[in-house]
Amino acid sequence: MTAATAAIVPSDAYAGYLDCLADADEYAAIDVAIDLLDAGVPAERVLLDLVAPAQSEVGERWARNEWSVAQEHAATHVSERVVAAVATHVNPRPTGGRVVVACMDGEWHALPPRLVAEVLRLRGWQVTFLGASVPAAHLVSYLHRYDAHAVALACALPMRLPHAHRMIEACRRSDVPVLVGGRGFGADGRWARRLGVAWARDAPSAAELISDERALRRVPPARLAHLADDEYASLVRRRGELIDSALADLRERVPATRAYSASQLDSTVSDLGHIVDFLAAAVYVDDASLFTEFVEWLTGILVSRGVPAAAVAGSLEHYAVALRDFPRAERMLARGRAALPGVAR
């Protein structure tokens, strides 16, 4: 290996690889990755230092309204093809037990857990990747059928945490150790700790944790005593009613919304529903920061698309009035309004 070859690192290829994603050129993107492998760059580094950060940038470009949903989907498809090409090119043989990797039910962001699955495979585990949105009953049935050393569950959106908790408990009843990862559990894993489950920050951390079965099983109990007040369950039951009333209120406050196209209306209803879902998840784990972080993110997305922050504030105020008998939810809505930029308190 020459000195020049030894100096090659994934960051050298990053800009060109991003161009491939922008052009939806899967063949050129695969060539970039394979060239790095042929130059002696370990496959794990190609996945974690090239594919993963590039995919994060894809999401950021969508969030900044620089890329359309179609461009984001096309780029994600290219990244998935690159991961498959790297896996085929290296093709390691398993030396360890079976690890099942899956997305939570309702979770469609499958690329991050796919990267985790490939890193585990590179480190010798026999990996079964079940993909996006795996129903809990199907996952448990699979675990009963096949002897698994561990199951790794991914969640990108905190609003899925109540579903995640039920899925975690279902796996535990099968006596299979569980670890979780993804932004849905918080950047520091705070909501994983609240649910009483082992959390891994990234793929290497997941691999290390899976290798230590004692650490994998040694987790503190869930801290969810606050659910006894039934506020979460009552909030979920009122979801449809809340969305309908918020839409009616929005049409009164902003008459222009009455002329929305079908797609604009669908997006608005989706946003109003997400506010309720993230609020419910925050109530479930009793952490207002979950809701305020979402409100800040949603506002940034909408402002980049020409929707003023005041529109979000109005909907939060409407929900606060409708939920005045829900003390924790009302307190979190107030925190969410306070987090909005440039909105009168």
Side-chain angles (χ1 to χ4, degrees):
M1 182 181 293
T2 66
T5 300
I8 293 176
V9 292
S11 58
D12 296 334
Y14 182 76
Y17 182 75
L18 269 178
D19 289 340
C20 297
L21 297 186
D23 294 336
D25 189 341
E26 67 178 77
Y27 302 102
I30 290 171
D31 285 344
V32 170
I34 299 303
D35 286 348
L36 287 171
L37 294 175
D38 290 342
V41 178
E44 185 171 318
R45 299 270 55 87
V46 173
L47 296 174
L48 300 183
D49 297 342
L50 179 71
V51 179
Q55 190 61 27
S56 294
E57 175 61 21
V58 167
E60 291 298 323
R61 291 185 181 187
W62 170 81
R64 296 192 298 263
N65 203 28
E66 296 172 8
W67 280 14
S68 68
V69 171
Q71 287 174 294
E72 185 267 337
H73 285 187
T76 300
H77 170 73
V78 172
S79 292
E80 290 170 343
R81 295 283 292 141
V82 170
V83 173
V86 170
T88 301
H89 190 79
V90 179
N91 196 27
R93 291 292 183 265
T95 57
R98 183 189 300 273
V99 177
V100 177
V101 181
C103 291
M104 301 291 181
D105 193 0
E107 177 61 67
W108 297 96
H109 295 79
L111 184 57
R114 173 72 188 280
L115 290 171
V116 172
E118 295 306 328
V119 168
L120 293 174
R121 188 175 285 114
L122 289 169
R123 295 197 179 195
W125 294 99
Q126 180 183 351
V127 180
T128 301
F129 180 60
L130 300 183
S133 190
V134 180
H138 293 194
L139 175 59
V140 170
S141 176
Y142 187 89
L143 295 177
H144 283 156
R145 188 171 182 180
Y146 297 96
D147 185 26
H149 174 81
V151 57
L153 301 176
C155 180
L157 299 174
M159 71 177 183
R160 301 289 181 199
L161 285 174
H163 300 285
H165 186 219
R166 289 191 286 271
M167 203 162 182
I168 290 163
E169 291 304 309
C171 291
R172 283 180 171 157
R173 286 193 290 273
S174 300
D175 196 33
V176 180
V178 183
L179 74 154
V180 299
R183 295 181 180 180
F185 292 99
D188 57 358
R190 73 185 76 167
W191 301 315
R193 290 190 292 275
R194 181 58 59 94
L195 298 182
V197 63
W199 171 79
R201 181 182 302 277
D202 49 29
S205 300
E208 292 171 9
L209 186 55
I210 288 172
S211 297
D212 187 348
E213 188 171 357
R214 286 181 116 181
L216 194 57
R217 291 183 179 272
R218 189 175 61 245
V219 293
R223 293 177 289 132
L224 299 170
H226 53 273
L227 292 178
D229 64 13
D230 204 39
E231 187 168 325
Y232 166 76
S234 298
L235 180 55
V236 171
R237 284 194 295 269
R238 291 188 59 183
R239 182 181 188 274
E241 167 202 332
L242 288 167
I243 295 171
D244 289 344
S245 66
L247 181 61
D249 173 72
L250 183 62
R251 284 172 163 165
E252 288 295 319
R253 287 187 292 106
V254 187
T257 59
R258 300 172 192 169
Y260 272 6
S261 65
S263 62
Q264 288 175 311
L265 182 61
D266 284 346
S267 294
T268 301
V269 171
S270 178
D271 290 338
L272 293 173
H274 283 151
I275 292 173
V276 176
D277 293 338
F278 275 85
L279 176 62
V283 169
Y284 192 89
V285 297
D286 198 29
D287 188 345
S289 69
L290 187 158
F291 186 64
T292 55
E293 288 174 11
F294 162 72
V295 168
E296 291 169 345
W297 176 85
L298 176 65
T299 304
I301 296 292
L302 294 178
V303 168
S304 74
R305 288 154 175 77
V307 179
V312 178
S315 294
L316 296 185
E317 289 166 6
H318 172 80
Y319 282 140
V321 172
L323 295 171
R324 56 186 175 273
D325 294 328
F326 291 64
R328 288 195 289 131
E330 188 177 26
R331 183 173 63 253
M332 292 175 186
L333 285 161
R335 291 273 297 274
R337 293 198 303 275
L340 290 172
V343 175
R345 306 288 184 253

